[in-house]
Amino acid sequence: LVYNILSMLYLIGLGLSTIEDISVSGLDVIKKCDHIFIDAYTSVLTHGIERISEFCGKQVKDADREFTENESNSMITLAKTANVAFLVVGDPLCATTHSDLIIRAIKEKIPYKVIHNAGIMTAVGCCGLQLYRMGETVSIPLWNEYFHPESFYLKIAANFVRGLHTLCLLDIKMKEKSVEALLHDRDIYDPPRFMVCPEAGYQILETARRIRHRVVEYDESDPEEFRELEPEVYLDPDCLVVCLARVGTPTQSIVVTTLQILGSSSPSEIGDSPEFSEALGGPMHCMIFPGELHPMEKEFLTSRLLVGDELEGLQTNCDGTSLPILLPPSKEGTSFKERVAAMFNRHEDIVKLTKKCR
């Protein structure tokens, strides 16, 4: 391959919070680039594009979903004769769309360079769960009237039955057209929408209900019809779930609770729970379904108790450090510490029972 060494495509990670999280090398590259775009649909920073342009001293253009997926060839064309930077919140290679961009650059014999940064795939270690115990990462899409995918449930269950944790990345909708706008070919876009943990929890519980219903009613003349759709194990509503919000920002929050508590709200009530509203706050959210817990992981998840905080207070910070907030099921006549212990013991029992069923 013969590359044009006078121009290059740069994919630059911005980190998870603000433009100030960019690396020194990333900022140096931006200053010498002729064209700068920012991915505006796989994630968002805590501020707008104007501040990014001001900080970098260069005009930064939005690359929304339509641009990145349908018109990014123009970015490749520019990179044939000029230095082009594509800025990505988090790490550049956490999304398959960005890998596709690199492949297209290679096909056009355009040199490229990736400048990495902190991404959500590793930053979730802040909750205390160990990254090497993670199974396949899952994306949970927002449901609508016409779209109810369920494959995420099967993947979470497959990880759980093997004792592995599952990182769930929650959907965001940026500059999306409604079905009506698509049918009438109108450039009318819905407002941005960010999935929150309670909404994801509801979809997971509802998916289990729907799968069970179909399996019960499947046509016995074709026993294979639904066998492929049935998970290896159904997630018990009492299993633990770790909710994370705004990871890597000053307002980062971590909540440890159960799937039943998380997903008990109906879609119309999601976000109205004062406990979750106060504890988690606004987007961006993601969550982890723990599998088998190492003693150190359990100790980290319950670290609020280590500093003597046995109250049900929902304060996020303790001496400037974000500690997991514990929301165990309520039970009369028991202390908060006893309820937390019961929540973790129940999860461990579920994991052991799942192992026996393999």
Side-chain angles (χ1 to χ4, degrees), residues 16-19 44-48 51 246 249-251 283:
L16 295 169
S17 181
T18 68
I19 185 60
V44 293
L45 287 176
T46 57
H47 51 69
R51 182 173 168 187
R246 302 171 307 285
T249 74
T251 62

Side-chain angles (χ1 to χ4, degrees), residues 79-319:
K80 291 180 179 180
T81 56
N83 288 315
V84 176
F86 185 58
L87 312 183
V88 180
V89 177
D91 186 86
L93 296 184
C94 282
T96 54
T97 298
H98 307 143
S99 297
D100 178 67
L101 192 62
I102 291 175
I103 292 172
R104 279 185 273 173
I106 293 172
K107 289 179 179 178
E108 295 294 330
K109 300 181 180 179
I110 297 171
Y112 73 91
K113 183 176 182 180
V114 178
I115 300 177
H116 295 280
N117 207 320
I120 192 64
M121 303 284 281
T122 54
V124 293
C126 65
C127 71
L129 294 175
Q130 297 166 4
L131 298 180
Y132 69 88
R133 298 170 68 87
M134 295 282 184
E136 181 179 357
T137 298
V138 172
S139 295
I140 301 183
L142 283 159
W143 283 356
N144 59 36
E145 184 180 355
Y146 310 98
F147 183 63
H148 296 87
E150 300 173 349
S151 60
F152 60 85
Y153 189 93
L154 305 180
K155 294 177 181 179
I156 297 171
N159 285 338
F160 190 83
V161 81
R162 290 163 179 78
L164 301 175
H165 311 324
T166 305
L167 169 60
C168 300
L169 304 177
L170 307 189
D171 197 9
I172 67 173
K173 299 292 186 185
M174 300 291 291
K175 201 176 179 181
E176 297 272 344
K177 291 183 180 180
S178 66
V179 173
E180 183 179 356
L182 288 170
L183 290 174
H184 295 88
D185 195 24
R186 296 172 180 169
D187 290 332
I188 301 175
Y189 301 94
D190 291 335
R193 184 180 171 194
F194 303 87
M195 177 180 271
V196 292
C197 288
E199 189 169 14
Y202 172 81
Q203 286 188 190
I204 289 168
L205 289 174
E206 177 63 14
T207 296
R209 187 195 67 78
R210 294 183 182 199
I211 294 176
R212 287 180 187 273
H213 179 74
R214 287 201 306 268
V215 170
V216 168
E217 295 192 347
Y218 81 96
D219 184 356
E220 294 186 3
S221 64
D222 188 3
E224 298 297 326
E225 181 181 0
F226 287 105
R227 191 167 296 171
E228 292 184 5
L229 297 178
E230 190 171 16
E232 296 180 58
V233 64
Y234 287 97
L235 297 173
D236 192 294
D238 288 335
C239 69
L240 288 176
V241 59
V242 180
C243 304
L244 302 100
R246 302 171 307 285
V247 173
T249 74
T251 62
Q252 171 179 299
S253 183
I254 305 166
V255 175
V256 183
T257 188
T258 67
L259 176 58
Q260 182 63 50
I261 293 175
L262 177 67
S264 59
S265 300
S266 68
S268 61
E269 297 169 336
I270 286 170
D272 293 336
S273 167
E275 282 190 321
F276 275 102
S277 296
E278 186 178 353
L280 268 182
M284 305 277 288
H285 287 192
C286 65
M287 61 189 196
I288 302 174
F289 280 90
E292 187 173 3
L293 290 172
H294 185 277
M296 187 177 294
E297 292 178 306
K298 180 179 178 180
E299 190 173 30
F300 200 119
L301 289 173
T302 59
S303 56
R304 185 172 290 270
L305 302 181
L306 297 177
V307 295
D309 184 2
E310 299 182 12
L311 302 176
E312 298 182 58
L314 299 178
Q315 63 271 23
T316 300
N317 296 319
C318 177
D319 297 329

Side-chain angles (χ1 to χ4, degrees), residues 334-351:
T334 58
S335 68
F336 178 65
K337 194 170 185 178
E338 289 172 333
R339 288 161 50 203
V340 170
M343 178 173 69
F344 277 83
N345 290 339
R346 173 60 179 151
H347 178 82
E348 291 172 357
D349 289 342
I350 294 169
V351 171

